[in-house]
C-alpha cells in the first residue's frame, strides 16, 4: 500500500496530454493503479487520474458512493485505461465540482448530461458504458485530467469558483436564496476528484 503525493494546480504534469498505456496488464500498471486507489481512498476522493499523482499516463480510477448516485445507486470502483468519451447529445447540465488538485475549492461546471465511454480494464478487456448525470460528470472531470484540463477551464461563470468552506457558510446564512431554480442544496459536502 502506498499513498502517493497529489499534484496541485500549477504543476506541469497536470497541464500536459498524458500518454496512452500499451499493456494494461503490465505489473507496473497494476501497481500504479493499486497505489492510485489507496491514494483516492485516503484523500478521500471520488476519483483520481494518474497525472494527479505526477504520472503522465492515461489512467483513471473512480467510485460513486450510493448516496451520490442516481436513484441512490452508486458506481463500484472502476479503473479506466485509455478511456474515450462520446457525448450522446447536446444537453448540458451545470453542477458543483471539486478537485483534489485544487483542495478546498469548488465551482459550477457545465458537463454533458449523457455520454458513452469506452476504456480498457485492468484485465486488458475493453468495455463500454452509457451513463448520465453524476456518473457522467465524474468521468468527464477525470478524463479531462488526461488532456491537461482542470475544471476551472470548463467553467462559464468564474464568480461561482470559491472555497467550499466559505460557500457552505454563506449557504447557511441564506445568502444564496436568490438562486432562480429554487434548489437550495447545501454546499457542505463537495466531492473532490
Ligand atoms: Ni480533479
Amino acid at each position: 500500500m502506498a499513498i502517493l503525493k497529489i499534484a496541485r494546480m500549477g504543476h506541469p504534469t497536470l497541464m500536459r496530454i498524458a500518454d496512452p498505456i500499451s499493456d494494461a496488464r503490465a505489473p507496473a500498471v497494476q501497481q500504479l493503479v493499486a497505489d492510485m486507489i489507496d491514494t483516492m481512498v485516503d484523500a478521500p476522493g471520488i476519483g483520481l487520474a494518474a497525472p494527479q499523482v505526477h504520472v503522465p499516463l492515461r489512467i483513471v480510477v473512480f467510485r460513486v458512493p450510493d448516496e451520490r448516485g442516481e436513484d441512490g445507486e452508486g458506481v463500484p470502483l472502476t479503473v479506466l485505461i485509455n478511456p474515450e468519451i462520446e457525448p450522446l447529445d447536446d444537453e448540458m447540465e451545470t453542477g458543483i465540482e471539486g478537485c483534489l488538485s485544487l483542495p478546498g475549492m469548488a465551482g459550477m461546471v457545465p458537463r454533458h448530461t449523457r455520454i458513452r465511454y469506452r476504456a480498457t480494464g485492468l484485465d486488458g478487456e475493453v468495455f463500454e458504458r452509457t451513463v448520465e448525470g453524476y456518473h457522467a460528470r465524474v468521468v468527464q472531470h477525470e478524463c479531462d485530467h488526461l488532456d491537461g484540463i482542470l475544471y476551472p477551464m470548463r467553467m462559464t461563470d468564474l464568480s461561482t469558483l470559491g472555497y467550499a468552506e466559505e460557500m457552505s457558510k454563506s449557504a447557511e446564512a441564506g445568502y444564496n436564496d436568490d438562486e432562480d431554480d429554487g434548489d437550495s442544496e447545501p454546499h457542505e459536502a463537495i466531492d473532490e476528484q
Side-chain angles (χ1 to χ4, degrees):
M1 167 158 181
I3 309 293
L4 306 172
K5 191 169 180 223
I6 297 177
R8 290 179 302 170
M9 184 167 69
H11 193 285
T13 304
L14 290 173
M15 299 299 156
R16 57 163 281 184
I17 309 274
D19 297 325
I21 300 283
S22 53
D23 180 6
R25 289 180 298 177
V29 171
Q30 304 276 326
Q31 184 60 54
L32 172 61
V33 167
D35 291 345
M36 285 174 63
I37 293 168
D38 289 343
T39 305
M40 172 180 72
V41 169
D42 175 72
I46 291 283
L48 188 71
Q52 291 183 279
V53 290
H54 306 85
V55 179
L57 293 174
R58 303 188 81 78
I59 304 176
V60 160
V61 298
F62 72 97
R63 38 87 196 253
V64 177
D66 285 346
E67 64 272 19
R68 299 293 289 116
E70 310 287 316
D71 303 323
E73 208 170 303
V75 183
L77 178 64
T78 300
V79 178
L80 306 179
I81 294 169
N82 302 333
E84 283 169 38
I85 291 179
E86 180 193 339
L88 291 182
D89 51 47
D90 291 334
E91 193 181 313
M92 307 288 283
E93 222 168 61
T94 297
I96 196 153
E97 290 185 22
C99 179
L100 293 167
S101 297
L102 288 79
M105 300 203 77
M108 297 298 287
V109 187
R111 297 287 184 187
H112 291 285
T113 306
R114 283 174 282 275
I115 61 167
R116 180 182 300 131
Y117 65 89
R118 185 180 298 114
T120 302
L122 268 186
D123 56 2
E125 300 295 321
V126 174
F127 65 99
E128 189 179 279
R129 289 176 180 165
T130 300
V131 303
E132 58 181 24
Y134 191 66
H135 185 165
R137 174 173 299 279
V138 170
V139 171
Q140 288 170 86
H141 176 117
E142 291 310 330
C143 290
D144 265 357
H145 277 299
L146 308 181
D147 291 325
I149 299 168
L150 298 173
Y151 76 80
M153 296 156 74
R154 294 285 190 194
M155 291 177 66
T156 48
D157 180 0
L158 280 174
S159 74
T160 67
L161 181 66
Y163 288 95
E165 197 186 340
E166 298 291 352
M167 291 169 166
S168 72
K169 274 189 221 159
S170 28
E172 276 164 30
Y175 291 136
N176 286 345
D177 55 15
D178 60 340
E179 281 180 357
D180 48 17
D181 58 4
D183 182 2
S184 60
E185 217 175 279
H187 294 301
E188 80 274 6
I190 310 297
D191 301 320
E192 292 186 330
Q193 52 174 316

